[in-house]
Amino acid sequence: MKKVLVAILFIILVLAGVFWIISSKTTDNMVDEYISSFNMNMPKELDVKHSYTKEAGVLHIVSDINYTKEFLNKEFLNIFDEDFIVRIKVDIQNSVLNLIKGYEASGTMEALSYQDEIKKLFNSTKFLKFTLKGDKNSLHNGKFILNEMNFKDDDGKIHVSEFVLNMNFKKNLLKSLTLTQKGSSLNTDEISASYDELFFEYKYDKPFDISEILTHIANLNSNSFIKNLKVKFDDFDFFVANISQEDKINDNNTQKFEFNSILNANGIQIKFNDERLPVDKFGYSITLENIGKSFIDKVLKADFTKLSDDEIEKFGLEFLAQNPKISVNNFGFNDSDGKTFNLNLKAGLENFDESKLLDILNYAFLSGDLKVSKKYFELFFDDLMTKEEMFKDAILASGILKDEKDSFVTNFVYDKSKLDIVINDNVSLMELFLGFPLGSLEVDEDDFEQSVLNLKTLVFDIAAFYTSQAKFADEISYMTNVKVDEISDSQAFLDVKGKKCIKISTKDSGILEVSKGYDEDDETCIDFYKLDEVKELIKEYDFTKEIGYKFY
């Protein structure tokens, strides 16, 4: 079924892209121009055969297209084991009244191969019908209707009502399109899902050639909704009465894009193990700014399935070099009892380029606030974490949350000078993350003060690097300015008064291990290990779990 749907989508896009030409031709040369333009818009490696007949007031054109399995497997997924052959029939009204009334055409698509699969899906080998209208100078609109689909086998059944695609044009350039559907359902032994109505609308401020539809996103306004969405599997039961989304993409007459997205979901009902979760509404407003048009074009045209890891990583660096900025407003949910969760934040990069990757945290900014009702807070810890009472008390005592009437609130900001996120003006996130305070340095012997500071800084630098990159570098020295003696990839010694007292090791699983070094039996190292601060620092740090490990 998947291979058929992939091929059909491709055919619809190609068909919509070539039919505009027939609106600008006279009856005498319409066939030749139509066939010529049709072939010009088709990939050269495909075999296309045309035939036509004329009768009073109507021109009939038949086009057989052979999409070879080699072409389809190269362009899409490697799932086709034979050619996909499609017949397109179009009837064009070609009377002299066209000059007055305008042009009109209608037609169908029929599968000449994969017919058994097509019949199982659409109950017919004819799976799509269309109409196009315009005048002698341009195409005005096109309407495509994909037939209702029904599929059933031993694993379950699928029902999909017909899709209706409407396209509106201005001077043969696409101006807007809408996609509507009355609903679908899926039922198997493991999962059931359905919705009652689907709607998408896209409006373009600047009409464009339809051949660019897969890569053109500038100056777009879109609205969409889905009604009565239901999903059920195992002990999970989900329902939402309405999900709506509004998106805007603008270039503001510059070479930079701005993306805006607003989502609202209402009438939510979530049950897990027959217990309803207290969420009735969910929503957010997100803005992404400062993304270059050339970068977007490159991403849209790239085939990420064929890119190497290095090429994908290069895309990531290019994205960061755009100095993107994101704003998240009113990201949250609530219920009818007054419980609320609301997050706002702003984050991004300023004056960063690819040569500054190691120092990326010096170019980052982040600020925001969080508000959660006490009812939600108590529900989470008392109902879901009843055995973690000490953990709940530790969060409150740490200063992460501030008491404000019926809610707990927090604000946070990234401090570049400290390479740290400061919560509620005085709580250090990295101190909580690492399990020791960064700002204080209390040691028993002044002679070891610099060595202890070096060890703290080393652990902090590696933690900051892992937090920003989600991985360790191959060499310890690449992640810190503290001088170390490299042993091998992912291992190094930290000297204390010329002795290799501390060994630093990193592991792919996100573990940093601080252990005793090569000279651990030396008197200098033995005295160093006696310091309380050093005792706290020599341990394993799991950077995938360590947040909240210890509070001070």
Side-chain angles (χ1 to χ4, degrees), residues 62-128:
V62 177
S63 303
D64 291 344
I65 310 170
N66 184 4
Y67 292 89
T68 64
K69 62 182 179 181
E70 291 80 11
F71 171 81
L72 291 171
N73 287 331
K74 181 181 70 173
E75 294 295 324
F76 298 102
L77 304 171
N78 192 29
I79 57 176
F80 293 88
D81 48 22
E82 64 178 90
D83 297 351
F84 187 54
I85 306 172
V86 176
R87 172 165 290 171
I88 300 175
K89 292 183 178 181
V90 57
D91 298 331
I92 305 170
Q93 306 298 323
N94 61 358
S95 70
V96 294
L97 293 177
N98 285 8
L99 298 175
I100 301 173
K101 296 173 58 178
Y103 137 87
E104 183 173 341
S106 61
T108 60
M109 288 188 191
E110 180 179 7
L112 301 184
S113 65
Y114 287 103
Q115 288 191 332
D116 289 341
E117 293 190 62
I118 292 289
K119 284 181 179 179
K120 284 183 180 179
L121 281 176
F122 300 105
N123 299 317
S124 171
T125 57
K126 293 182 179 180
F127 54 85
L128 185 137

Side-chain angles (χ1 to χ4, degrees), residues 115-344:
Q115 288 191 332
D116 289 341
E117 293 190 62
I118 292 289
K119 284 181 179 179
K120 284 183 180 179
L121 281 176
F122 300 105
N123 299 317
S124 171
T125 57
K126 293 182 179 180
F127 54 85
L128 185 137
K129 55 187 176 182
F130 56 88
T131 58
L132 299 111
K133 296 181 180 181
D135 57 34
K136 69 175 184 177
N137 295 314
S138 64
L139 175 65
H140 291 173
N141 57 68
K143 183 176 183 179
F144 300 83
I145 301 176
L146 185 66
N147 291 359
E148 177 182 285
M149 288 182 280
N150 291 282
F151 181 81
K152 183 178 182 180
D153 61 14
D154 294 339
D155 295 325
K157 60 181 180 179
I158 299 173
H159 168 74
V160 181
S161 62
E162 66 179 23
F163 283 96
V164 179
L165 175 66
N166 282 286
M167 295 181 171
N168 295 304
F169 298 82
K170 182 178 181 179
K171 296 182 179 180
N172 290 327
L173 299 177
L174 182 63
K175 184 179 180 181
S176 67
L177 64 86
T178 60
L179 178 68
T180 58
Q181 197 226 1
K182 290 300 183 182
S184 298
S185 63
L186 164 70
N187 290 281
T188 70
D189 292 338
E190 291 80 22
I191 186 172
S192 65
S194 66
Y195 59 86
D196 289 345
E197 187 175 356
L198 182 69
F199 174 83
F200 290 95
E201 180 182 46
Y202 298 89
K203 295 182 178 180
Y204 300 91
D205 293 341
K206 299 177 182 179
F208 63 96
D209 193 309
I210 194 171
S211 63
E212 301 174 4
I213 192 169
L214 295 180
T215 59
H216 189 93
I217 62 171
N219 303 296
L220 164 68
N221 297 304
S222 69
N223 294 282
S224 61
F225 66 77
I226 185 170
K227 292 185 177 180
N228 297 325
L229 174 65
K230 301 177 184 178
V231 179
K232 186 174 184 179
F233 60 90
D234 295 332
D235 296 320
F236 179 81
D237 196 340
F238 173 83
F239 171 80
V240 58
N242 185 72
I243 303 174
S244 62
Q245 185 166 342
E246 298 180 17
D247 296 319
K248 293 183 179 181
I249 303 175
N250 298 301
D251 61 12
N252 299 316
N253 294 317
T254 69
Q255 291 299 307
K256 297 287 186 178
F257 277 127
E258 178 181 305
F259 301 79
N260 299 280
S261 182
I262 300 173
L263 181 140
N264 288 290
N266 301 301
I268 300 174
Q269 297 179 27
I270 304 175
K271 288 185 178 180
F272 185 71
N273 289 330
D274 292 327
E275 291 190 18
R276 181 175 175 181
L277 300 183
V279 177
D280 294 328
K281 297 180 180 180
F282 170 76
Y284 60 72
S285 174
I286 296 177
T287 299
L288 179 62
E289 301 176 79
N290 214 41
I291 309 298
K293 183 180 184 300
S294 59
F295 174 76
I296 294 296
D297 290 342
K298 188 184 297 185
V299 170
L300 291 173
K301 294 175 181 177
D303 184 352
F304 283 89
T305 62
K306 298 178 181 178
L307 296 182
S308 65
D309 290 342
D310 288 342
E311 289 172 321
I312 293 176
E313 185 173 318
K314 184 178 179 180
F315 265 111
L317 288 175
E318 286 187 47
F319 173 74
L320 295 177
Q322 304 294 309
N323 286 285
K325 298 174 175 57
I326 186 171
S327 299
V328 179
N329 295 307
N330 298 318
F331 181 97
F333 46 85
N334 58 63
D335 73 351
S336 56
D337 293 333
K339 293 186 283 289
T340 60
F341 175 96
N342 192 76
L343 171 68
N344 300 285

Side-chain angles (χ1 to χ4, degrees), residues 4 37 41 55 115 121 168 177 180 231 238 246 252 259 295 345-346 357 364 381 401 413 434 437 457 518 550:
V4 172
S37 295
N41 281 273
E55 62 181 68
Q115 288 191 332
L121 281 176
N168 295 304
L177 64 86
T180 58
V231 179
F238 173 83
E246 298 180 17
N252 299 316
F259 301 79
F295 174 76
L345 69 82
K346 293 182 178 180
L357 181 60
F381 286 105
L401 299 175
V413 64
L434 295 174
T457 304
Y518 178 79
K550 192 170 184 180

